[in-house]
Amino acid sequence: MQVDMPQVLFKNRHLGRPATIDEYRAGGGYEALRATIGKRTPAEVLQLVLDADLRGRGGAGFPAGRKWQGVPVDHVGPRYVVINTDEMEPGTFKDRILVNADPHLVIEGIVLCAYSIGASEGVFFIRPSYEGDAVLIEQECRVARENGYLGKNILGTDFSFDVHVHRSAGRYICGEASAQIKAISGQRPNPRKGGPRTAVKGLWDCPTIVNNLETLANLPGIVRNGPQWFKSLARSATGSGTKLYSVSGQVAKPGCYELPIGVTIREIIFEHAGGMAPGKTFKTVIPGGASTPYLPESLLDLEMDFDPMRAAGQRFGTASLMVFDQGTCLVGATLSLIEFFARESCGWCTPCREGIPYIRELLRRLEGGEGTEEHIAMIQDMLPVLDAAYCAFAPGAAEPVRGLLTHFMDEVRAHITEKRCPFGNPPPSLRGKACGTRPIQFGPTPCPEDQCPI
Amino acid sequence: MLPEALEKELHRLVAAVPRPREAAVDVMYVLQRHYGYLCDEAMHCAARVLGMTTLELESLATFYDYLYRRPVGRYVIHVCDSVVCWMFHQDSIFDYLCRTLGVPPGGTSEDGLFTVLPAACIGNCHNAPTMLINGRFYDRLTPERIEAVLAELRQGIEEPVRCK
């Protein structure tokens, strides 16, 4: 954990255990709620969030306040907040760390959002491998209820709001807002194409705000300290706030770090994550989770912020950095990523269902030394087809492939000219992985276990 | 016929949510724990309690990764094969488990204890390579650590109720 950076979301992070409600309150926790419920209007809270320019931390980066503005003011009946803790994208584990670090920060953020949009009920959507989080949040919601921060007549006012946990049975597509609504409704979770937006017609056909957990956890700070304070946390001109960066792969200290928006990628990897793992040399990084492209070394000084990233042809995404070294085959890595997307596609629309396995097959041939120049052209032809899918899943799957072909074409061509993987990987099996008789050699990430807070 | 306590638990789950079908996954989880997997009998029970058709539930049970419509072992091992674990030679871990347990991918060991499944990503990338067994993370894996984990799990086994 870094001490020289403002810690807002990780202020109460302890080694190996979540902060208690008393610890949270001792640092000013629930003061924002006390200063808001019954004292500010919901519109005032919305204005604070708009002024703070809080952008969604779940990947798309849509301004949270603008999303909330989509809730129809004249709607009669329930409104919902759905807290998206699905986080099934490879490389991304920030929400798990955050819930485990400071559950009441998250709860206070949820209640502030609910107050602003007039919601009566919240649904905490959690993936199955985070069962520990589900149990923790249920327990801490009970504690919050007993202390008057949740449930009927919050803090003695006429505002009532409660949260329950919805356990997912596990599919990546459930992270997409409209699919998540269907999952909660007990329907097959296919995304909905086009409108209406979930803010207008979501859970049980009522207005529903689906926000990423980290997004909501920023609210107590914004309400308590003001939009200007929040903006001042960022290092870039256009950014606001801090961000949880998940760093994994071939670095010396993989982990989750809270750093300003706008910090450079080089700084994240080579200062906070300890640089490359011993004996490893940097090749590339996927900077924003699995649905963002590879970033070449020449762009390491790019600021991690939504707009500068987009201007450079990159994506901020979930700010989950996966670092690759020179010894890792990027065709193999891309094949692994595409295997993930092919398996996780819900199969509801043709571009995704057919397009991703098509690219997977071509990458298998290339990795196995059976590729030709024509296969590269076939992949390039298919990539725009993925953009025609119902949701952002397939276009996201295309991003690492685009990055591979843009920045590492030499490596792809080496597979064709040498008729084998130049890194010595054996031909991939139908499972997409190397298999068979080679000696078992694997080992853990470099960071010693006793340094890992969670 | 379900045990009375289980029947009560299912009705409690359904009553705790605004509409019964929101509890579909929870109900199936409970029945899966009871029967070992979602056998036809479990699916009919779920449909009855939820007021849904078995076809509606089938579309969920066959879609999600953590619901099993076929028999699985006492311990389901989700081996992460996302790109980060792959970087640390995850493929070998999958192979290692399959070889050690004598099962094909997705198969169950002869003693009925272990099922090995590839998992998309289990959200533990900073501790790669990693796997999840019955909801518990096992990370920074080495062959020795895997052997130790399997040996530990072979102790203390409770035999679940099985469909006839």
Side-chain angles (χ1 to χ4, degrees):
Chain A
M1 283 179 277
Q2 43 310 123
V3 287
D4 54 339
M5 292 284 171
Q7 297 293 285
V8 179
L9 303 177
F10 279 169
K11 182 179 164 189
N12 297 314
R13 191 181 186 189
H14 294 89
L15 194 69
R17 67 169 182 85
T20 65
I21 191 169
D22 289 335
E23 286 168 331
Y24 181 57
R25 282 190 294 214
Y30 286 117
E31 279 179 17
L33 201 63
R34 284 191 181 283
T36 298
I37 309 283
K39 292 175 183 157
R40 286 187 174 102
T41 65
E44 283 173 325
V45 179
L46 172 65
Q47 196 57 51
L48 287 173
V49 175
L50 285 168
D51 292 345
D53 195 22
L54 171 63
R55 298 178 70 166
R57 304 316 202 212
F62 191 77
R66 276 176 52 202
K67 189 184 268 192
W68 300 3
Q69 279 179 312
V71 174
V73 286
D74 55 351
H75 173 82
V76 179
R79 299 167 188 201
Y80 298 97
V81 178
V82 171
I83 305 98
N84 188 347
T85 320
D86 199 45
E87 191 174 58
M88 284 185 70
E89 188 148 298
T92 311
F93 48 91
K94 65 187 180 66
D95 294 340
R96 176 168 67 83
I97 305 276
L98 179 54
V99 172
N100 276 281
D102 207 352
H104 287 280
L105 174 73
V106 175
I107 294 170
E108 186 177 9
I110 295 166
V111 182
L112 287 167
C113 171
Y115 181 74
S116 181
I117 67 156
S120 55
E121 195 176 328
V123 183
F124 215 99
F125 188 93
I126 294 193
R127 62 182 290 188
S129 62
Y130 289 5
E131 177 58 24
D133 295 34
V135 172
L136 175 69
I137 208 74
E138 279 177 335
Q139 174 193 309
E140 296 308 316
C141 279
R142 272 196 297 275
V143 172
R145 224 170 271 130
E146 286 161 9
N147 283 270
Y149 302 121
L150 205 57
K152 284 193 177 159
N153 305 112
I154 292 175
L155 296 172
T157 67
D158 59 0
F159 177 63
S160 299
F161 171 79
D162 214 334
V163 180
H164 69 272
V165 170
H166 181 97
R167 286 165 167 82
S168 167
R171 280 298 285 261
Y172 174 62
I173 196 61
C174 294
E176 200 274 343
S178 65
Q180 193 160 106
I181 296 293
K182 284 191 178 179
I184 296 169
S185 313
Q187 298 173 50
R188 192 182 191 276
N190 322 306
R192 186 165 68 193
K193 183 162 176 67
R197 284 171 292 141
T198 56
V200 177
K201 196 173 179 181
L203 192 56
W204 315 120
D205 287 341
C206 293
T208 304
I209 289 298
V210 183
N211 268 147
N212 170 253
L213 176 136
E214 184 191 345
T215 311
L216 295 174
N218 279 295
L219 296 176
I222 292 171
V223 171
R224 212 171 131 213
N225 302 313
Q228 287 314 313
W229 165 84
F230 188 68
K231 283 187 168 180
S232 73
L233 292 171
R235 199 180 279 178
S236 57
T238 56
S240 50
T242 61
K243 180 77 189 78
L244 302 184
Y245 297 90
S246 318
V247 190
S248 60
Q250 301 287 5
V251 292
K253 292 192 294 177
C256 189
Y257 301 92
E258 181 177 9
L259 300 166
I261 290 256
V263 64
T264 67
I265 297 168
R266 186 187 299 278
E267 184 180 330
I268 296 172
I269 297 172
F270 290 95
E271 291 184 31
H272 303 285
M276 294 302 289
K280 304 289 182 184
T281 309
F282 179 86
K283 183 195 275 187
T284 186
V285 55
I286 289 184
S291 52
T292 63
Y294 296 101
L295 180 134
E297 192 167 6
S298 59
L299 291 179
L300 269 179
D301 291 312
L302 199 58
E303 293 174 327
M304 281 296 277
D305 186 4
F306 297 95
D307 297 330
M309 295 285 283
R310 185 178 299 150
Q314 293 288 326
R315 283 189 58 229
F316 187 79
T318 56
S320 303
L321 295 88
M322 295 183 279
V323 181
F324 299 83
D325 72 308
Q326 289 290 347
T328 301
C329 171
L330 292 187
V331 175
T334 311
L335 176 57
S336 173
L337 286 160
I338 286 295
E339 287 282 0
F340 161 78
F341 285 108
R343 185 195 302 158
E344 290 298 315
S345 169
C346 77
W348 202 245
C349 68
T350 312
C352 190
R353 182 183 62 247
E354 305 291 338
I356 297 175
Y358 182 86
I359 291 175
R360 175 180 60 182
E361 175 56 26
L362 294 169
L363 284 172
R364 272 182 187 155
R365 290 190 194 184
L366 285 164
E367 175 68 348
E370 296 170 356
T372 65
E373 203 50 44
E374 190 190 12
H375 292 149
I376 297 174
M378 288 160 81
I379 293 175
Q380 278 166 331
D381 284 348
M382 182 53 70
L383 289 174
V385 176
L386 299 190
D387 294 335
Y390 268 24
C391 72
F393 181 101
E399 290 297 327
V401 185
R402 277 206 179 92
L404 176 75
L405 299 185
T406 305
H407 301 295
F408 298 97
M409 189 62 99
D410 289 352
E411 201 166 306
V412 179
R413 290 219 165 91
H415 284 73
I416 297 170
T417 52
E418 293 184 28
K419 296 189 185 304
R420 65 180 183 89
C421 173
F423 297 87
N425 291 350
S429 70
L430 275 182
R431 190 158 54 84
K433 308 298 170 195
C435 69
T437 54
R438 67 176 170 161
I440 300 293
Q441 284 184 335
F442 56 85
T445 48
C447 181
E449 202 160 345
D450 55 8
Q451 286 180 19
C452 179
I454 293 165
Chain B
M1 196 64 181
L2 293 178
E4 196 183 327
L6 185 63
E7 186 81 27
K8 273 188 185 167
E9 167 70 359
L10 296 180
H11 286 287
R12 188 193 65 75
L13 287 171
V14 170
V17 289
R19 321 231 170 151
R21 57 186 310 137
E22 187 183 336
V25 166
D26 285 336
V27 164
M28 285 193 281
Y29 268 148
V30 169
L31 288 166
Q32 180 168 275
R33 275 198 293 274
H34 175 71
Y35 287 106
Y37 75 105
L38 288 172
C39 56
D40 291 347
E41 190 182 326
M43 295 296 283
H44 287 299
C45 287
R48 171 175 58 77
V49 172
L50 291 160
M52 293 168 71
T53 65
T54 48
L55 185 63
E56 283 177 300
L57 286 171
E58 195 77 64
S59 73
L60 302 180
T62 55
F63 183 76
Y64 287 117
D65 291 342
Y66 288 73
L67 294 174
Y68 316 120
R69 214 33 196 103
R70 291 179 179 184
V72 290
R74 176 73 179 84
Y75 301 106
V76 180
I77 307 177
H78 288 273
V79 187
C80 184
D81 67 353
S82 79
V83 69
V84 178
C85 286
W86 173 89
M87 243 189 270
F88 294 94
H89 306 280
Q90 179 280 329
D91 48 0
S92 297
I93 293 181
F94 201 95
D95 279 356
Y96 185 79
L97 273 164
C98 288
R99 276 189 236 169
T100 299
L101 297 170
V103 296
T108 300
S109 57
E110 259 185 27
D111 57 9
L113 283 183
F114 301 103
T115 299
V116 186
L117 293 172
C121 174
I122 57 177
N124 197 22
C125 316
H126 59 320
N127 291 316
T130 180
M131 62 184 180
L132 190 77
I133 305 182
N134 289 14
R136 186 176 162 192
F137 287 120
Y138 294 87
D139 42 43
R140 297 169 190 274
L141 296 173
T142 59
E144 296 74 25
R145 173 141 166 75
I146 288 174
E147 285 302 332
V149 168
L150 295 180
E152 186 186 311
L153 294 178
R154 283 190 176 104
Q155 315 290 320
I157 301 152
E158 277 177 45
E159 198 56 41
V161 178
R162 292 283 179 193
C163 286
K164 299 282 184 288

